[in-house]
Amino acid sequence: EAVRYDSQSFHFPGGQLRVLRFGKATGGVLHQITTETQLYVVEGSAKVGVGGVPTEIFAGDVVNLPSGVLRSRPGKAEDTTVLLYTVRGTAPQPRAALVRGRDVAATALTGEKGGRDGTKVSVKRYAFDGNSIRVARLAGKGRTGSVTPQVDVLIYMLSGRMRITIGDEVKEVSAGDVLREQAGLPTHWDVLEPSSFVATNAPF
């Protein structure tokens, strides 16, 4: 019953992000939850504890405080990719929660967080005790408004290619890259092609 999977770990001052890629042909999903505080399913499906209750999860779903063993759904192993964050929240006693992707509507951003020069930005916000996961989609070559985050933000690029300016530093990022928006530094994105990313706060 051995399972082989790919794991990438990224460490930052405010927390950690792990990207786990499981294959149906290499045993499916099997991972013991330890310090992880948030889980986002990029593709595929699995089963994990939510408040001690075994729960099936699917692409686009989020779990706050997952528990137990992350494993394939019985008899339904498939290629699956998950993001596992270990970050602090702001709630003193956060509750475990499942937020289904199908229940979260995308909101078009306007104002300082919206797009400029033809860029359109929409965000799905998965809110739970003390934090949230946001999935942003950006289209149209242009740029976003400049914002200054109050806490660090850890980001995983799902798709596309963009250029991010954080303070005086400029970096080009693409699908599969992980980065940190640093608290207190003005930040904006230049969209080079349609792109999307997953983000969560990482206070420390």
Side-chain angles (χ1 to χ4, degrees):
E1 296 183 10
V3 169
R4 296 194 312 274
Y5 61 92
D6 294 330
S7 174
Q8 291 178 288
S9 295
F10 303 87
H11 300 267
F12 299 92
Q16 173 182 305
L17 169 61
R18 295 183 70 190
V19 183
L20 304 184
R21 295 180 179 89
F22 303 91
K24 179 179 179 179
T26 53
V29 178
L30 184 64
H31 172 74
Q32 175 69 52
I33 300 294
T34 54
T35 62
E36 296 93 337
T37 56
Q38 299 169 19
L39 182 155
Y40 175 78
V41 185
V42 176
E43 66 173 338
S45 65
K47 193 172 185 180
V48 74
V50 181
V53 178
T55 305
E56 292 188 347
I57 54 177
F58 302 88
D61 289 347
V62 163
V63 179
N64 184 45
L65 299 179
S67 61
V69 178
L70 178 70
R71 62 177 72 241
S72 297
R73 295 185 298 138
K76 298 182 179 178
E78 60 183 316
D79 295 346
T80 299
T81 301
V82 297
L83 305 182
L84 288 165
Y85 288 96
T86 301
V87 295
R88 294 181 182 178
T90 56
Q93 294 181 324
R95 292 175 295 134
L98 166 67
V99 185
R100 295 280 186 203
R102 65 174 181 254
D103 297 331
V104 180
T107 302
L109 297 187
T110 58
E112 65 178 10
K113 292 185 177 182
R116 306 278 189 275
D117 305 323
T119 288
K120 296 186 183 303
V121 183
S122 66
V123 173
K124 290 181 73 168
R125 180 178 297 272
Y126 300 75
F128 43 81
D129 284 349
N131 207 335
S132 68
I133 279 182
R134 286 89 65 195
V135 179
R137 301 195 182 281
L138 303 93
K141 291 186 178 179
R143 64 185 299 182
T144 67
S146 179
V147 296
T148 303
Q150 300 302 303
V151 297
D152 279 10
V153 178
L154 302 187
I155 294 173
Y156 175 80
M157 287 288 296
L158 285 171
S159 64
R161 188 170 58 93
M162 297 194 288
R163 189 165 47 246
I164 186 169
T165 301
I166 303 173
D168 296 328
E169 192 172 1
V170 180
K171 293 182 179 180
E172 187 169 309
V173 294
S174 58
D177 288 344
V178 174
L179 61 146
R180 166 193 176 211
E181 287 184 351
Q182 191 171 342
L185 293 181
T187 301
H188 74 268
W189 298 85
D190 288 286
V191 182
L192 305 177
E193 63 186 51
S195 302
S196 62
F197 63 77
V198 179
T200 195
N201 293 345
F204 63 97

